[in-house]
């Protein structure tokens, strides 16, 4: 075979691979495509094997059709050992309306009571509805300039309407939150399962009302947040497949950073947010009891698998190495491991990271804007944008 013929075959193979990857869903119309899978038996923590390496997120996965079951199993493990249950909600339990032209109101009812969520939608001054939507967990901390000239609506998820725990000032404890009144059997939950549940209910409301009422394109929803809200955004995006783009900004330990890597770096003298030193209002208390110290190696998953749950949808991780506590070295190891899932399915251009210093916490510098703009333009607006190889560390790919 001639060199020219070989080159032609390689070109055709590459084109076929791109065509196949383009057929994979960018987003789904349901919260959890794996809801029909039964939960696997979860061993007692003391019966779990010691695994020092990051667990393989693709264990037992031969093709994309098998990913849904594996993804569901990872989600069950994270809920069981890490954050607590995110309860399913039937359509009949949710009602929604718009107050005026911009205020979304969603009510959720269970046999134990009701909970109401309110959120203002800020519509863009450019483009035509239905618009893409970026939801900020607690707030959109990304620079406003990234959205001002784009046809993207902005909405804030006010997490205290679900779980009124806050890092600062007075707060309620487990069992006293609005969520707990609806689900009194889930008072052991960590905040991240409850916040993920709450954001999904806002999406329920948008879906129930439809784009004619909300002016929102349900296939182009993103979620973002920074610091503890960066963790929140990651959990929300991982556990709701109606989210097309997740941007987790400086999420720190318990977000994208691998618990195992952080533990090892702590043993070397680093001051990181590891599994022993995170805020346990956010997680199950049993996570600390069962997996503290070297017991972290018994954890049957790690945070790279939380990241992988976003696949085949888009994920961008943003870091800031100037703040040691954020454990960005652990996030990088996690990101590299998670990206293998997107790579397996030929869609690595849907996942990337940018870890750049020289700026304040949650203050995205202009030199980090291009990769964020590219992900927003491609995955919220459907434009051609350079997301093929966004793997940036300290300004170097």
């Amino acid at each position: 075979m001639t060199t020219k013929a070989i080159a032609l075959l390689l070109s055709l193979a590459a084109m076929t691979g791109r065509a196949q990857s383009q057929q994979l869903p960018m987003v789904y119309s349901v919260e959890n495509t794996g809801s029909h899978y039964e939960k696997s038996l979860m061993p007692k923590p003391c019966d779990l094997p010691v695994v020092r390496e990051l667990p393989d997120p693709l264990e037992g996965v031969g093709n994309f059709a098998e990913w849904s079951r594996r993804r569901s199993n990872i989600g069950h493990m994270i809920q069981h050992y890490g954050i607590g249950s995110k309860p399913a909600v039937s359509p009949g339990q949710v009602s929604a309306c718009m107050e005026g032209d911009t205020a979304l109101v969603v009510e959720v009812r269970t046999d134990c009571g009701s909970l109401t969520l309110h959120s203002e939608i800020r519509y863009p001054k450019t483009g035509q509805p239905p618009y893409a939507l970026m939801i900020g967990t607690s707030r959109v901390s990304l620079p406003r300039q990234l959205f001002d000239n784009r046809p993207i609506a902005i909405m804030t998820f006010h997490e205290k309407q679900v779980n009124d725990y806050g890092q600062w000032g007075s707060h309620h404890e487990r069992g006293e939150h609005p969520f707990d009144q609806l689900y009194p059997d889930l008072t052991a939950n960590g905040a991240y399962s409850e916040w993920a549940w709450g954001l999904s209910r806002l999406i329920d409301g948008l879906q129930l009302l439809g784009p004619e009422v909300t002016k929102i394109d349900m296939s182009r929803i993103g979620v973002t947040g920074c610091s503890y809200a960066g963790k929140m955004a990651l959990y929300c995006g991982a556990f709701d497949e109606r989210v097309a783009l997740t941007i987790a900004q400086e999420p720190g330990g318990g977000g994208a950073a691998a618990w195992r890597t952080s533990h090892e770096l702590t043993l070397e003298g680093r001051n990181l947010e590891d599994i022993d030193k995170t805020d346990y209002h956010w997680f199950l208390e049993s996570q600390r009891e069962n997996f503290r110290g070297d017991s972290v190696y018994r954890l049957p998953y790690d945070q790279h698998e939380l990241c992988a749950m976003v696949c085949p949808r888009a994920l961008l991780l943003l870091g800031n190495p100037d703040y040691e506590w954020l454990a960005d070295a652990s996030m990088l190891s996690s990101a590299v491991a998670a990206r293998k899932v997107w790579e397996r399915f030929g869609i690595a251009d849907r996942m990337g990271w940018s870890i750049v210093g020289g700026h304040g916490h949650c203050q995205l510098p202009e030199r980090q804007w291009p990769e964020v703009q590219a992900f927003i333009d491609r995955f919220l607006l459907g434009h051609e944008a350079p997301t093929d190889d966004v793997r940036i560390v300290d300004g170097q790919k």
Side-chain angles (χ1 to χ4, degrees):
M1 185 177 293
T2 67
T3 302
K4 186 175 181 179
I6 292 173
L8 178 61
L9 286 174
L10 290 174
S11 177
L12 289 171
M15 291 173 62
T16 300
R18 284 195 296 270
Q20 290 174 342
S21 68
Q22 289 170 0
Q23 293 173 5
L24 296 183
M26 303 288 284
V27 70
Y28 296 88
S29 61
V30 296
E31 177 182 350
N32 180 12
T33 59
S35 61
H36 58 288
Y37 293 118
E38 292 185 7
K39 293 183 180 180
S40 301
L41 178 65
M42 297 293 165
K44 294 178 180 178
C46 60
D47 294 332
L48 291 165
V50 171
V51 179
R52 292 188 173 272
E53 302 78 19
L54 295 182
D56 181 7
L58 288 164
E59 181 180 353
V61 177
N63 53 53
F64 183 73
E66 296 172 340
W67 171 240
S68 179
R69 180 185 292 275
R70 174 59 176 160
R71 179 188 173 279
S72 178
N73 179 247
I74 291 170
H76 289 152
M77 287 192 292
I78 292 172
Q79 291 175 81
H80 182 79
Y81 295 110
I83 64 172
S85 297
K86 179 190 179 188
V89 173
S90 65
Q93 292 179 278
V94 179
S95 59
C97 68
M98 294 291 291
E99 288 186 352
D101 295 328
T102 61
L104 174 67
V105 181
V106 179
E107 183 182 22
V108 188
R109 299 174 302 280
T110 70
D111 291 341
C112 296
S114 66
L115 184 153
T116 302
L117 303 172
H118 301 263
S119 189
E120 291 282 336
I121 302 175
R122 179 169 63 84
Y123 292 102
K125 297 178 180 179
T126 185
Q128 297 294 323
Y131 301 107
L133 174 68
M134 180 61 83
I135 303 174
T137 50
S138 195
R139 66 186 180 92
V140 175
S141 56
L142 296 173
R144 188 163 180 168
Q145 297 95 313
L146 295 176
F147 301 97
D148 280 347
N149 296 317
R150 287 174 166 83
I152 300 173
I154 301 294
M155 183 170 74
T156 295
F157 168 44
H158 301 287
E159 75 277 15
K160 288 191 175 183
Q161 294 176 1
V162 176
N163 177 315
D164 58 359
Y165 171 73
Q167 285 185 289
W168 321 114
S170 61
H171 57 78
H172 290 95
E173 298 294 341
R174 279 183 168 90
E176 301 174 338
H177 302 300
F179 175 92
D180 298 328
Q181 310 312 309
L182 269 62
Y183 300 101
D185 58 331
L186 297 179
T187 55
N189 269 14
Y192 285 125
S193 61
E194 300 176 1
W195 287 333
W197 174 91
L199 184 125
S200 289
R201 306 294 68 86
L202 283 180
I203 297 177
D204 285 348
L206 293 169
Q207 196 168 41
L208 184 64
L209 294 173
E212 296 80 9
V213 175
T214 66
K215 303 178 185 177
I216 298 302
D217 184 344
M218 291 300 299
S219 68
R220 300 193 184 278
I221 293 177
V223 63
T224 188
C226 188
S227 197
Y228 91 94
K231 297 178 184 50
M232 194 190 314
L234 182 55
Y235 280 102
C236 289
F239 279 94
D240 197 317
E241 295 179 273
R242 296 170 294 184
V243 174
L245 171 62
T246 301
I247 301 179
Q249 183 182 5
E250 302 181 42
W259 289 127
R260 283 168 170 81
T261 309
S262 290
H263 175 62
E264 291 162 4
L265 292 174
T266 298
L267 293 177
E268 295 176 4
R270 305 277 190 91
N271 181 30
L272 308 178
E273 183 181 9
D274 64 8
I275 204 163
D276 295 318
K277 298 194 294 288
T278 192
D279 187 328
Y280 267 90
H281 289 89
W282 296 334
F283 302 95
L284 292 170
E285 287 283 357
S286 58
Q287 177 184 259
R288 175 166 49 190
E289 296 164 6
N290 296 324
F291 302 109
R292 65 180 180 269
D294 286 346
S295 295
V296 71
Y297 299 119
R298 292 189 182 276
L299 192 67
Y301 66 91
D302 214 317
Q303 299 304 96
H304 66 300
E305 291 176 290
L306 172 68
C307 297
M309 283 182 65
V310 178
C311 183
R313 297 163 295 124
L315 172 64
L316 178 62
L317 302 174
L318 302 174
N320 184 351
D322 292 351
Y323 293 81
E324 186 177 63
W325 180 255
L326 295 175
D328 277 346
S330 305
M331 184 174 79
L332 180 59
S333 71
S334 189
V336 171
R339 196 173 191 264
K340 295 182 186 302
V341 177
W342 281 268
E343 289 173 350
R344 169 71 68 86
F345 305 129
I347 51 173
D349 55 348
R350 301 184 189 180
M351 191 272 182
W353 57 85
S354 176
I355 302 173
V356 173
H359 59 94
H361 184 42
C362 297
Q363 303 296 314
L364 192 80
E366 286 193 42
R367 65 190 181 111
Q368 233 174 342
W369 290 13
E371 50 267 36
V372 179
Q373 289 172 327
F375 268 75
I376 289 171
D377 285 345
R378 182 174 175 198
F379 299 110
L380 288 189
L381 298 178
H383 298 166
E384 290 291 330
T387 64
D388 291 348
D389 195 22
V390 178
R391 290 180 288 177
I392 300 170
V393 179
D394 287 328
Q396 300 296 318
K397 289 189 177 181

